[in-house]
């Protein structure tokens, strides 16, 4: 039985997991800061620093994801081009075989017709 949460690609699952961990860490750190006995200015600065760190982590994750997507797209394009070449080669081979068979049939038909006396 298939679950609606079944993941075909482990990399997709891992990417979502990493983002979940980052969001969870951010929420946890914010909660810890808000309940810590510090002044408002210190807490605001700490929140700003944490936000900057998380922004940098997400930016790096985004760049890595873009790079991986470009790599996968390039690989897919190469495989598609290779498959296209194979299909063309196979089709050309069948066309050549069909032409040869048609020419052979035409020659045999001509030979058969030539055997009959002309009136």
């Amino acid at each position: 039985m298939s679950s609606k949460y079944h993941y075909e690609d482990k990399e997709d699952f891992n990417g979502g997991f990493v983002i979940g961990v980052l969001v969870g860490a951010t929420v946890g750190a914010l909660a810890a800061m808000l309940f810590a006995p510090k002044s408002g200015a210190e807490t605001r600065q700490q929140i700003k620093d944490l936000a900057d760190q998380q922004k940098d982590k997400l930016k790096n994750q985004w760049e890595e994801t873009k790079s991986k997507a470009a790599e996968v797209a390039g690989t897919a394009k190469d495989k598609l081009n290779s498959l296209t070449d194979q299909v063309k080669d196979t089709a050309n081979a069948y066309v050549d075989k069909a032409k040869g068979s048609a020419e052979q049939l035409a020659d045999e038909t001509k030979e058969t017709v030539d055997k009959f006396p002309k009136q």
Side-chain angles (χ1 to χ4, degrees):
M1 180 190 310
S2 174
S3 168
K4 69 179 183 178
Y5 299 109
H6 178 71
Y7 287 94
E8 293 291 327
D9 188 359
K10 292 286 187 191
E11 291 179 12
D12 288 343
F13 176 75
N14 291 339
F17 179 77
V18 169
I19 290 173
V21 168
L22 289 174
V23 169
T26 301
V27 170
L30 282 173
M33 282 188 270
L34 290 175
F35 291 108
K38 292 186 180 183
S39 71
E42 289 178 59
T43 302
R44 284 190 298 274
Q45 184 60 45
Q46 203 171 16
I47 290 171
K48 181 185 177 302
D49 293 343
L50 179 65
D52 289 342
Q53 289 173 2
Q54 294 305 316
K55 182 180 82 170
D56 291 341
K57 286 181 184 179
L58 287 174
K59 184 178 178 182
N60 290 339
Q61 182 70 29
W62 175 251
E63 293 300 323
E64 184 179 316
T65 301
K66 281 185 358 183
S67 174
K68 189 177 281 189
E71 180 182 325
V72 168
T75 301
K77 183 178 177 182
D78 291 344
K79 287 182 179 181
L80 180 60
N81 287 337
S82 175
L83 182 60
T84 300
D85 290 342
Q86 288 176 357
V87 169
K88 283 180 183 177
D89 291 344
T90 302
N92 287 335
Y94 281 117
V95 166
D96 291 343
K97 187 175 181 180
K99 283 181 183 177
S101 295
E103 288 172 359
Q104 181 182 359
L105 182 60
D107 290 344
E108 290 173 359
T109 303
K110 185 177 180 190
E111 289 174 12
T112 303
V113 168
D114 288 343
K115 289 181 184 179
F116 288 102
K118 295 185 181 182
Q119 294 181 359

